[in-house]
Amino acid sequence: MLVSAPAKVNLHLEVLRRRPDGYHDLETLMVAVGLYDTLEFKDDSTGDVRLSCDRSDLSTGPDNLVWRAVELLRRHASSALGATIRLWKRIPLAAGLAGGSSDAAAALAGLNVLWRLGLSNAELSGLGAELGSDVSFFFAAPAAWCTGRGEIVRPLRLPRPLYFVLACPSVGLSTAEVFRNLAVPDRPASGEAICRAVEAGDVEEIGRRLHNRLQPVAERLCPAVTQLRARLAALNPAGVLMSGSGSTLFALCRDADEALCVSRGLLPLTPLPAIGERGKGEDGDGPRIHSVRSCI
Ligand code: C5P
């Protein structure tokens, strides 16, 4: 069984307060987009769980969220069933795109089917919240307003697809470090207007309302974010913002043609590889560019 795990972008992210448990209460609007990791699940009659990944720099042990999702699901369902799981990563790591969280959500959803556990979406979403702040969102995708740590999700209507160009710098950012360097605002920005704009499908208005409280912090920690922001803004899309805790920036585009123009406008930054070579961006030299649509 194959499951696609999409990335997400945040169109609004405001921090309300620091909590006694060290996390922060947030208000954020997330949209799933068409850049996917892929997970393959096969039954294992011996009861063993095996995880492998096409990226050698990613742990396939207990610090991988997929591993933790499997263990949590087995404990929750008192199950001794096994599985062989293969993970193909396409979503960059430490990029603010919630790749690891999405993989974990896909593992919960996939194994629920493979093992015929019969858990509801709400139960899976609750388990997801134990794994990470962004996991529950993927049970409410394609668009949701998320509060608490991010795990309280209210689905939003997405009346038309949204087009994005993602520009992922070769250096990632640690979510914990970005939050550590943040000053909680006295007066949080409201996300009401952007929710209305999303539900109305008004791209210009969404572009004007894009907001991410973590972006100035990320720009201080990582100058590549500032450089890319300027570069994207010069191409005149409807809006430019950093996703989550970075380091990915996205341009919100008015349609697929504009997304193509913006991607081309960034091309000088990413020399195209000769056939048979790996892309330079993939090896960590320049930003990787992905032109994507919101999921449906
Ligand atoms: O929940 P997750 O493991 O994705 O969070 C990673 C880190 O980001 C946390 O350990 C915490 O330092 C920070 N964080 C936060 N407030 C949130 C979400 C994450 O402070 N709402």
Side-chain angles (χ1 to χ4, degrees):
M1 185 177 64
L2 290 173
V3 178
S4 294
K8 62 82 182 157
V9 292
N10 305 69
L11 305 187
H12 174 92
L13 195 164
E14 184 55 290
V15 181
L16 304 183
R17 65 189 73 81
R18 191 164 195 280
R19 309 172 6 155
D21 63 5
Y23 281 85
H24 293 79
D25 278 324
L26 310 176
E27 287 183 340
T28 184
L29 197 172
M30 296 205 244
V31 176
V33 296
L35 169 65
Y36 300 97
D37 289 343
T38 304
L39 291 93
E40 183 193 57
F41 302 94
K42 282 187 188 156
D43 257 327
D44 186 317
S45 52
T46 66
D48 286 346
V49 174
R50 287 192 197 85
L51 173 63
S52 62
C53 177
D54 66 342
R55 274 190 71 150
S56 53
D57 56 341
L58 188 65
S59 153
T60 49
D63 48 350
N64 189 307
L65 268 188
V66 171
W67 175 287
R68 288 171 47 204
V70 176
E71 288 303 311
L72 181 64
L73 193 61
R74 292 221 296 184
R75 260 201 321 279
H76 180 81
S78 307
S79 159
L81 293 169
T84 301
I85 306 169
R86 293 171 73 190
L87 168 61
W88 287 273
K89 288 298 295 179
R90 297 293 170 270
I91 305 172
L93 312 180
L97 299 172
S101 299
S102 188
D103 296 342
L108 293 174
L111 293 173
N112 185 42
V113 174
L114 190 78
W115 291 341
R116 296 186 173 84
L117 300 177
L119 300 182
S120 68
N121 229 35
E123 283 174 284
L124 294 173
S125 179
L127 289 177
E130 293 183 37
L131 295 167
S133 308
D134 289 341
V135 181
S136 301
F137 161 72
F138 293 98
F139 295 97
W145 177 248
C146 306
T147 54
R149 281 188 297 129
E151 86 286 13
I152 303 169
V153 293
R154 175 167 64 83
L156 290 178
R157 210 168 48 85
L158 206 55
R160 46 156 291 181
L162 298 173
Y163 296 88
F164 301 96
V165 173
L166 311 181
C168 315
S170 53
V171 269
L173 277 166
S174 144
T175 304
E177 194 186 355
V178 172
F179 273 102
R180 254 199 316 276
N181 284 278
L182 170 86
V184 174
D186 294 333
R187 279 203 257 145
S190 162
E192 262 174 54
I194 195 165
C195 284
R196 273 200 303 276
V198 164
E199 293 205 300
D202 183 344
V203 181
E204 295 292 345
E205 180 65 1
I206 299 170
R208 279 191 292 273
R209 299 281 181 178
L210 293 174
H211 168 77
N212 185 345
R213 181 64 64 187
L214 303 179
Q215 185 163 341
V217 183
E219 292 196 18
R220 279 201 301 278
L221 294 172
C222 180
V225 175
T226 311
Q227 286 157 17
L228 258 187
R229 168 168 59 79
R231 181 93 199 200
L232 282 166
L235 297 166
N236 242 349
V240 174
L241 194 71
M242 187 183 79
S243 181
S245 56
S247 57
T248 296
L249 284 137
F250 64 84
L252 171 69
C253 298
R254 294 168 183 88
D255 53 34
D257 286 344
E258 187 174 80
L260 193 62
C261 287
V262 169
S263 310
R264 285 197 177 131
L266 291 170
L267 266 184
L269 283 175
T270 47
L272 291 174
I275 291 170
E277 268 180 19
R278 273 171 72 79
K280 283 216 160 195
E282 289 171 48
D283 284 335
D285 300 289
R288 279 148 296 178
I289 310 301
H290 301 276
S291 181
V292 296
R293 223 178 66 153
S294 56
C295 297
I296 301 169

